Amino acid sequence: MAAQMDTQKYQGKENIIVSIDLGTTHSQCPYLAFKLVLLTANGWHVRMVTRWRGQPEAAGDSKIPTIVAYKEGRVVACGAEARDYMGDERYEFSRWFKLHLHPDSMKISDQPPEYGSSNNSSPTIEIPDLPTNVTLIRVYSDFMRYLFGGFRTFFEETTPNGAAIWKRLSSRMIIVMTIPSGWDTRQQGFLQRAAQDAGMVESLDDAALRMEFVTEGEASVHYVLSKINHRIWLKKGVMFAVTDAGGSTVDSTLYVCKEIEPKLVLEEVSASECIQAGGVFVDRAAHALITAKLANSKYEDPDCIDDIVHKYEQRTKRLFDGTQDSNVIEFGTRRDNDREFGIVQGKLTLTQLEVSMTFDAAVARSVESCFKLLKGRKVKHLLLVGGFGESPYLRSRLKEEFESKGTEVVTVEEPSKKAASEGAIIWYIKQMVAARIARLTIGMCLYTPFDPKNREHLERRHQAYISASGETNINSKFSVILKKGQHIPQDYSVKHYFSQEFVEKPQTLGDYTVNLLAWEGDGVPEWITDVKGNVLPQIRRLCTLKADFTPTISSLTRYTSKQGVQYWWGRWLVRCIYGGTKLQARLEWKDG
């Protein structure tokens, strides 16, 4: 199915909305056009871009490989075209580059042990290096330029009067990007810069206005609920989970239904789970297995191994459900024979145990992540989507583990590998989720009066300083603005005051900066540093706010301290606004 139809009438301005789902192994680009000739007058219409340069044999396929080919640092080709250069040593390739952008909190070593494991060891994956002298943002901008260019060509060629419409609407087009739930403002800012470099937006200010970000899980729940008759099973108060198993991540989110009529309203129940356990881990395990199996054979050449693994990923991996005694990889011709290594007429046969071994680590971690999310809760349904979610083996393992506990594992009839990309468009229109759960703690560094009777203060006495008022303070206190696990309603706003003392009334307060900090651990830290003054490893700078406070100088207040010291004092505030899935922060004050 190339399009998603909805009978809901659209009353807004004429516009185009495009979704970019830049996945680890494959990417997609659906779009929505309002009030255009090609649309029904009674509803809105989502279309998938199904024609990509260099991919003629896959006409009608909306997915393209996430690959960029370079020669001496210059981009040569993207997508299916890039594969034509593989095997030529003059070219370098960037694959799985999404893994480079994952934050430390999503790294394998930070995740819980595998389900059923007797030790704490975690699987690892080697992230392919970037091409020589090519930065990560360069790879992203090159590939996004290719995606956006392909979308423009498809739009103009398949839409009546498409070129004129593009010229009229492209400057105000809304761009929705899907991201893992483990990503935050750092990755969003990175993607905004890449979009600017790719020519998708004119500036970072333009990006802030026209770019939206939605988690893959939230986009997927909108897709699923648009594909199935939710009124049959979804009632007010019913709790359900959505697991989006993709290329490099498995996102699981728990929702509760708050309203059915007049509009479906959902709320997150707890912070979502996001782990590195997608389909690329199966591919990497298969690569290691086949490399070992064909060692010392005439097929041990790395390029040959890559070809066999590619065929494994295309067919064998997708058909495996755990019951097949033998599993065939068709990679060659009848002339390809090496019975000693299990190759007959261009076919390599793997046993049930061998194939299941390539899945075991990723599947075990996916099950463990779902267990962690659902533990102690009555969850009636687990909706499974995503490219890896279409694996019969993953589905059977999840059903085996959860259906005996009263949780039904549900999949949609249509291919769900486009759930996030198409769901992002539906998300932008319908906005079913009314409240979310904070995934990290946000705060800022403030000073606190030094207390000689407090052991923690004594341990940090070398960090103490004398303020303008003559008081002894310590300037490494963590002050909470938003706590991890906190319920955040739609368009939630919170303000946080901070102050500063001055020996003399300043002449200017230009370029004033405040850092917002993120704490990725549980609980709330008292300090941002340890006793030696080193920033705690789970604390990082989320963003920096800058402003010119000079207009507020006239509002500074003059005081005399208990010690008789005269000083000037001012107070300002940080306001954080949570509009949907996007965090906005600003400094505020009153002039005069």
Side-chain angles (χ1 to χ4, degrees), residues 2-265:
Q4 164 72 22
M5 284 293 301
D6 196 288
T7 56
Q8 173 184 339
K9 291 185 178 181
Y10 177 70
Q11 304 296 333
K13 294 181 179 180
E14 180 185 33
N15 205 357
I16 301 171
I17 299 173
V18 60
S19 163
I20 294 182
D21 179 26
L22 206 162
T24 304
T25 58
H26 291 84
S27 298
Q28 289 180 305
C29 192
Y31 67 94
L32 174 65
F34 290 121
K35 292 187 176 179
L36 303 186
V37 177
L38 76 158
L39 303 184
T40 169
N42 295 320
W44 49 266
H45 184 129
V46 178
R47 297 185 63 192
M48 302 293 294
V49 178
T50 55
R51 190 185 305 157
W52 297 97
R53 194 174 62 201
Q55 200 166 328
E57 76 286 354
D61 190 356
S62 62
K63 281 209 164 191
I64 57 170
T66 308
I67 305 174
V68 187
Y70 291 90
K71 183 179 181 181
E72 298 177 350
R74 180 177 59 86
V75 62
V76 175
C78 298
E81 278 189 319
R83 282 183 172 163
D84 295 339
Y85 297 89
M86 288 185 170
D88 190 329
E89 295 181 354
R90 295 175 300 171
Y91 298 89
E92 294 182 277
F93 302 89
S94 185
R95 298 184 305 135
W96 300 2
F97 50 85
K98 187 175 181 178
L99 297 176
H100 287 279
L101 201 52
H102 285 344
D104 291 340
S105 59
M106 285 175 58
K107 299 301 182 185
I108 289 294
S109 59
D110 294 335
Q111 302 301 329
E114 297 174 23
Y115 172 71
S117 173
S118 60
N119 57 60
N120 291 327
S121 63
S122 296
T124 58
I125 186 169
E126 178 186 352
I127 303 177
D129 292 333
L130 296 174
T132 306
N133 298 324
V134 177
T135 63
L136 182 60
I137 197 165
R138 166 81 185 285
V139 174
Y140 263 88
S141 63
D142 286 340
F143 194 74
M144 288 166 69
R145 186 180 300 109
Y146 165 78
L147 280 177
F148 202 65
F151 161 51
R152 176 176 182 173
T153 299
F154 183 84
F155 182 90
E156 292 183 345
E157 291 181 352
T158 62
T159 304
N161 203 28
I165 294 172
W166 182 275
K167 184 177 181 180
R168 186 171 71 249
L169 300 180
S170 60
S171 63
R172 66 170 183 256
M173 179 190 308
I174 301 298
I175 301 168
V176 185
M177 295 201 70
T178 61
I179 59 175
S181 63
W183 287 16
D184 55 41
T185 55
R186 287 183 302 173
Q187 288 77 24
Q188 292 179 19
F190 178 95
L191 293 174
Q192 287 176 330
R193 295 193 300 274
Q196 181 186 17
D197 292 346
M200 295 164 55
V201 293
E202 294 183 358
S203 64
L204 292 180
D205 288 339
D206 188 33
L209 290 173
R210 297 199 292 117
M211 290 185 70
E212 298 286 344
F213 297 94
V214 60
T215 64
E216 293 160 353
E218 187 164 326
S220 295
V221 74
H222 282 76
Y223 174 84
V224 171
L225 294 179
S226 74
K227 295 295 182 182
I228 61 178
N229 186 358
H230 62 268
R231 297 181 186 276
I232 297 176
W233 59 273
L234 192 57
K235 310 295 181 184
K236 188 174 181 178
V238 168
M239 196 179 300
F240 68 97
V242 175
T243 293
D244 181 6
S248 65
T249 60
V250 175
D251 273 293
S252 297
T253 309
L254 196 59
Y255 293 98
V256 62
C257 178
K258 303 299 288 186
E259 298 289 345
I260 294 290
E261 298 292 349
K263 173 186 175 182
L264 179 61
V265 178

Side-chain angles (χ1 to χ4, degrees), residues 455-590:
R455 179 181 58 83
E456 292 188 354
H457 285 222
L458 288 173
E459 291 175 339
R460 292 169 169 80
R461 58 184 177 273
H462 59 282
Q463 300 177 20
Y465 68 97
I466 305 299
S467 69
S469 63
E471 298 288 342
T472 303
N473 296 327
I474 301 177
N475 194 32
S476 59
K477 189 76 171 177
F478 185 81
S479 183
V480 176
I481 298 176
L482 183 79
K483 189 175 180 180
K484 180 180 178 180
Q486 182 175 330
H487 182 271
I488 308 174
Q490 191 84 336
D491 297 324
Y492 174 73
S493 173
V494 60
K495 57 186 179 181
H496 199 73
Y497 288 96
F498 64 97
S499 62
Q500 185 171 339
E501 299 172 357
F502 305 90
V503 175
E504 297 180 352
K505 191 173 185 179
Q507 298 299 311
T508 180
L509 286 175
D511 296 327
Y512 200 97
T513 61
V514 174
N515 289 324
L516 287 190
L517 305 174
W519 165 257
E520 295 177 330
D522 295 325
V524 177
E526 290 289 330
W527 309 91
I528 68 168
T529 63
D530 59 23
V531 294
K532 295 181 179 180
N534 300 313
V535 176
L536 299 180
Q538 288 180 294
I539 281 186
R540 59 179 173 81
R541 183 175 61 84
L542 189 64
C543 65
T544 298
L545 307 178
K546 297 181 180 180
D548 183 359
F549 282 166
T550 301
T552 70
I553 291 177
S554 60
S555 65
L556 297 180
T557 306
R558 188 175 184 177
Y559 290 102
T560 301
S561 70
K562 295 178 181 178
Q563 294 80 10
V565 177
Q566 291 188 341
Y567 65 98
W568 294 85
W569 178 88
R571 188 173 77 157
W572 306 271
L573 68 85
V574 172
R575 185 179 296 277
C576 292
I577 304 167
Y578 299 85
T581 58
K582 191 160 57 176
L583 166 66
Q584 294 179 314
R586 62 178 182 237
L587 297 171
E588 294 185 359
W589 65 89
K590 291 183 178 180

